[in-house]
């Protein structure tokens, strides 16, 4: 059966741990596995702006022995010029896997239903699961390994309705973590995603909570994460995306509420002085640059897992 990674809970807890362990191994030796030797091509499609995703997937596919076939979504016009299903039929006969950074979650689900090869969500409006794998691997590296993740408290503050909050809920619960989302009213996570995360947490020993203040979210947390207040595609949604979020800014005072030695995450791009201050993101508790690097290692591990699971 072809395996896909369309949202964080497409991996079981054991499978997630396996991928994270392999990500740490790739960090130590970038050439330990080459499942794409040939080279076999992987289609990497971008409907949204990208830097880290394009660099990390292109580099990672090459290091796995493959060829990154980068497709400009604006030129391809998938779903407009040609249907998603027809595109999936064509790609599935020529590439080993498909990586897609797109808009609605339904688009990538339709691609996966037809392609016949692994399809990876490189970001949709609803989820950013590859980023969370990178984040979990980064925390594991700094906390003594993957086995240290269960029981840690991870707080995400800012826009609780965005794809990062949704993926932290699912991915963190899968890892057995205690996930808290701190967000203002009107910017809370999708209740269906919260319910899924609660179900997963009940089995892994983790927990999930959605709270209305930064202090409730961050107090005693081992990891503090944030993201830009304006996600891609929301620039003109007419909502006030500054005033409600100011109390959720990650600054020195916010970090002081967290556990001693708490680590700071940000998926980037960051806007210093808005969702996070310069002294925090550039400070000693920030592991943001390791986090950016781990996009490479985690995605290589994921692709290896998906390709070898077939």
């Amino acid at each position: 059966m072809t395996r896909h990674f369309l949202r964080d809970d497409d991996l079981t807890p054991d499978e997630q741990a396996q991928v994270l362990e392999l990500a740490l191994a790739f960090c130590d030796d970038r050439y330990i596995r080459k499942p794409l030797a040939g080279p076999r091509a992987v289609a990497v499609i971008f409907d949204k702006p990208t830097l880290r995703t394009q660099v990390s997937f292109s580099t990672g596919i090459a290091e796995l022995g493959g060829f990154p076939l980068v497709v400009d979504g604006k030129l391809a016009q998938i779903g407009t010029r040609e249907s998603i299903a027809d595109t999936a039929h064509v790609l599935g006969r020529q590439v080993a896997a498909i990586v897609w950074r797109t808009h609605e979650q339904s688009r990538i689900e339709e691609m996966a239903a037809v392609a016949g090869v692994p399809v990876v969500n490189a970001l949709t409006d609803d989820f950013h699961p590859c980023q969370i794998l990178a984040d979990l691997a980064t925390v594991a590296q700094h906390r003594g390994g993957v086995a240290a993740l269960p029981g840690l408290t991870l707080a995400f503050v800012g826009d609780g309705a965005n794809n990062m909050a949704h993926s932290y809920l699912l991915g963190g619960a899968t890892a057995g973590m205690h996930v808290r989302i701190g967000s203002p009213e009107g910017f809370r996570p999708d209740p269906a995603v919260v319910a899924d995360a609660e179900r997963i947490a009940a089995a892994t020993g983790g927990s999930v909570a959605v709270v209305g203040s930064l202090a409730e979210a961050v107090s005693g947390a081992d990891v503090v994460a944030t993201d830009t207040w304006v996600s891609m595609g929301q620039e003109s949604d007419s909502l006030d995306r500054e005033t409600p979020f100011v109390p959720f800014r990650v600054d020195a005072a916010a970090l002081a509420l967290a556990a001693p030695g708490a680590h700071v995450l940000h998926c980037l791009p960051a806007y210093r002085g808005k969702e996070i201050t310069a002294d925090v993101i550039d400070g000693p508790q920030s592991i943001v640059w390791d986090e950016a690097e781990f996009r490479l290692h985690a995605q290589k591990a994921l692709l290896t897992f998906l390709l070898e699971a077939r």
Side-chain angles (χ1 to χ4, degrees):
M1 181 181 71
T2 301
R3 293 292 301 273
H4 307 291
F5 190 55
L6 309 183
R7 45 185 274 168
D8 307 78
D9 53 352
D10 282 341
L11 296 177
T12 68
D14 286 344
E15 290 170 343
Q16 184 197 69
Q18 180 182 335
V19 170
L20 295 176
E21 292 283 7
L22 185 54
L24 295 177
F26 271 124
C27 181
D28 291 336
D29 184 345
R30 288 165 68 156
Y31 303 100
I32 53 172
R33 304 270 277 277
K34 293 201 172 183
L36 290 169
R40 301 163 70 194
V42 174
V44 190
I45 309 167
F46 297 109
D47 294 344
K48 288 190 174 187
T50 177
L51 172 63
R52 278 155 299 282
T53 299
Q54 181 168 347
V55 171
S56 58
F57 268 112
S58 296
T59 302
I61 291 163
E63 291 183 357
L64 292 175
F67 174 76
L69 178 62
V70 177
V71 179
D72 183 338
K74 291 181 180 179
L75 292 177
Q77 299 180 48
I78 299 170
T80 302
R81 177 175 173 271
E82 190 167 7
S83 73
I84 294 173
D86 287 357
T87 303
H89 279 301
V90 171
L91 292 177
R93 289 169 176 250
Q94 300 187 49
V95 301
I98 299 166
V99 176
W100 198 6
R101 184 177 175 94
T102 190
H103 300 276
E104 296 86 1
Q105 182 73 11
S106 60
R107 287 169 62 79
I108 201 162
E109 291 172 353
E110 185 175 352
M111 179 76 78
V114 177
V117 296
V119 174
V120 173
N121 180 351
L123 178 143
T124 61
D125 294 342
D126 290 341
F127 302 103
H128 199 354
C130 288
Q131 181 67 58
I132 269 54
L133 285 180
D135 290 9
L136 294 176
T138 306
V139 173
Q141 185 192 49
H142 284 269
R143 292 278 173 166
V146 176
L149 293 177
L152 292 180
T153 297
L154 184 151
F156 174 85
V157 293
D159 184 0
N162 78 3
N163 49 16
M164 285 297 295
H166 289 159
S167 278
Y168 274 127
L169 284 165
L170 296 179
T174 301
M177 302 175 82
H178 303 293
V179 182
R180 302 177 191 157
I181 305 296
S183 58
E185 191 68 38
F187 298 91
R188 301 289 170 82
D190 183 339
V193 175
V194 175
D196 287 340
E198 289 174 337
R199 173 183 50 78
I200 295 167
T204 62
S207 66
V208 299
V210 179
V211 298
S213 73
L214 179 143
E216 289 178 275
V218 170
S219 293
D222 302 294
V223 183
V224 178
T226 190
D227 186 17
T228 176
W229 295 337
V230 184
S231 296
M232 283 178 287
Q234 297 176 337
E235 295 84 356
S236 58
D237 66 3
S238 76
L239 296 178
D240 181 354
R241 290 189 171 273
E242 179 123 2
T243 306
F245 294 113
V246 170
F248 294 86
R249 177 180 292 128
V250 178
D251 56 16
L255 193 55
L257 298 173
H263 290 112
V264 175
L265 297 172
H266 192 307
C267 65
L268 302 175
Y271 299 91
R272 289 166 174 78
K274 290 189 178 290
E275 74 275 4
I276 193 167
T277 55
D279 60 318
V280 172
I281 193 171
D282 298 319
Q285 291 173 259
S286 170
I287 52 175
V288 167
W289 313 119
D290 290 341
E291 178 188 7
E293 177 189 334
F294 260 96
R295 287 292 301 276
L296 171 67
H297 309 313
Q299 289 160 186
K300 287 170 66 178
L302 174 68
L303 283 171
T304 300
F305 171 84
L306 294 174
L307 290 164
E308 294 182 352
R310 296 190 68 198

